[in-house]
């Protein structure tokens, strides 16, 4: 592990100096950072000495409040985002596909990393043409030390922490191709947040519950224990013959309830608000969508 000295880390612009980016731990262990900020509440943070969640340093005596919440990881820290498709039993049932025997993998570039609200999440022009934007609430895993050829039994020792993700998708492009990377790799299409939570807090991610809420309507609701391939299995599989550098993000799939599978279809439009809620501990990733001009 790169560090075990934190419980939950946030990356943020402080109210004290809008030119700075700080790393810190919310003082209130129970606060849902994303939901609280969206409701206009003040979130006070114990500042760490480091400049990255990959090397957060130590707690300092300094405290500050969040002016603007950022993705826990900057784009340049991530490299590639390893993504898993069709990894919930619920979702396989809703799309009438057999349970896979090996993980389905695609990748997003680092430019897909996006910040939570108040930064807008863009709907690309290509997605606007026929209103095909879609949401996918997901658990994200961040790798804390270089991994290669890792066994399933040892895999969890490589986890730095967990956060929430929205795998924003352009369905027309996705369904027109056998490969999904193009349709899921647009700039800002992988917002992360609100906090990175240590495995010391989340010893078993299967105890978490994942919900996706669009404009206050609950559309996805599932336990992480519905995963077809566990976090440990995914880390081991992805590391076979392949180096996973520190900072690698793995997004682990989405449960049932995606917009493309609903009747009538549900899409994302300018002004829509989507919440990815993972409780307990991680909290709510809030994204407000805006048309790319």
């Amino acid at each position: 592990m790169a560090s075990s000295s934190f419980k939950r880390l946030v990356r943020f612009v402080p109210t004290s100096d809008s030119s700075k980016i700080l790393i810190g731990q919310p003082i209130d262990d129970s606060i849902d950072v994303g939901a609280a900020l969206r409701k206009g509440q003040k979130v006070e943070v114990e500042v760490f000495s480091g400049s990255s969640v990959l090397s957060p340093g130590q707690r300092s005596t300094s405290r500050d409040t969040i002016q603007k919440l950022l993705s826990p990881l900057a784009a340049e820290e991530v490299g590639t985002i390893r993504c898993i498709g069709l990894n919930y039993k619920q979702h396989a049932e809703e799309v009438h596909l057999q349970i896979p025997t090996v993980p389905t993998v695609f990748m997003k570039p680092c430019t897909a990393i996006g910040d939570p609200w108040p930064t807008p999440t863009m709907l690309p022009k290509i997605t606007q043409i026929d209103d095909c934007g879609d949401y996918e609430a997901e658990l994200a895993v961040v790798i804390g030390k270089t991994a290669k050829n890792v066994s399933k039994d040892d895999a969890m020792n490589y986890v730095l922490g967990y956060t929430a993700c929205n795998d924003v998708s352009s369905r027309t492009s996705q369904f027109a191709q056998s490969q999904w990377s193009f349709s899921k790799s647009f700039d800002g299409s992988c917002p992360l947040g609100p906090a990175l939570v240590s495995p010391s807090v989340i010893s078993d991610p299967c105890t978490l519950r994942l919900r996706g809420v669009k404009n206050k309507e609950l559309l996805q609701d599932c336990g992480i224990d519905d995963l077809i391939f566990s976090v440990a299995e995914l880390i081991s599989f992805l590391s076979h013959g392949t180096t996973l550098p520190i900072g690698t993000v793995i997004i682990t799939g989405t449960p049932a309830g995606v917009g493309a599978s609903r009747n009538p279809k549900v899409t994302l439009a300018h002004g829509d608000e989507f919440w990815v809620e993972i409780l307990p501990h991680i909290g709510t990733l809030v994204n407000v969508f805006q048309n790319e001009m």
Side-chain angles (χ1 to χ4, degrees), residues 44-142:
E44 193 174 10
V45 175
E46 186 179 33
V47 178
F48 273 52
S49 62
S51 59
S52 167
V53 298
L54 302 180
S55 184
Q58 302 299 318
R59 296 176 181 85
S60 72
T61 57
S62 176
R63 292 186 174 188
D64 217 316
T65 55
I66 298 175
Q67 178 189 123
K68 181 181 181 182
L69 185 64
L70 304 174
S71 164
L73 289 152
E76 59 269 19
E77 296 179 302
V78 170
T80 57
I81 305 153
R82 313 302 168 101
C83 315
I84 308 300
L86 201 68
N87 196 30
Y88 279 82
K89 301 178 187 76
Q90 274 191 5
H91 186 40
E93 291 170 3
E94 79 171 339
V95 295
H96 309 294
L97 293 173
Q98 291 184 337
I99 300 295
T101 56
V102 294
T104 298
V105 181
F106 61 97
M107 291 198 286
K108 291 175 181 267
C110 66
T111 49
I113 292 293
D115 294 325
W117 176 86
T119 301
T121 302
M122 292 295 177
L123 290 170
K125 293 178 181 179
I126 192 173
T127 307
Q128 299 170 39
I129 292 171
D130 59 355
D131 185 28
C132 68
D134 207 347
Y135 54 85
E136 292 191 4
E138 305 201 16
L139 172 71
V141 181
V142 178

Side-chain angles (χ1 to χ4, degrees), residues 251-274:
I251 61 173
T252 56
T254 198
V258 297
S261 297
R262 289 183 168 271
N263 187 15
K265 179 177 67 173
V266 175
T267 59
L268 294 171
H270 182 85
D272 282 342
E273 184 164 328
F274 197 89

Side-chain angles (χ1 to χ4, degrees), residues 28 43 56 58 87 89 130 137 143 161 178 191 194 213 222 239 246 280 292:
D28 182 350
V43 178
Q58 302 299 318
N87 196 30
K89 301 178 187 76
D130 59 355
I143 296 299
S178 61
V213 181
C222 186
S239 73
I246 181 174
E292 179 187 43

Side-chain angles (χ1 to χ4, degrees), residues 87-94 136-139 205-213 218-228 252-258 262 274-280 282:
N87 196 30
Y88 279 82
K89 301 178 187 76
Q90 274 191 5
H91 186 40
E93 291 170 3
E94 79 171 339
E136 292 191 4
E138 305 201 16
L139 172 71
C206 285
T207 61
L208 303 173
R209 191 157 195 92
L210 172 64
R211 295 177 8 129
V213 181
L218 180 63
L219 298 177
Q220 295 183 282
D221 187 6
C222 186
I224 303 295
D225 58 359
D226 193 56
L227 282 174
I228 296 167
T252 56
T254 198
V258 297
R262 289 183 168 271
F274 197 89
W275 291 31
V276 179
E277 175 192 272
I278 306 181
L279 297 176
I282 292 173

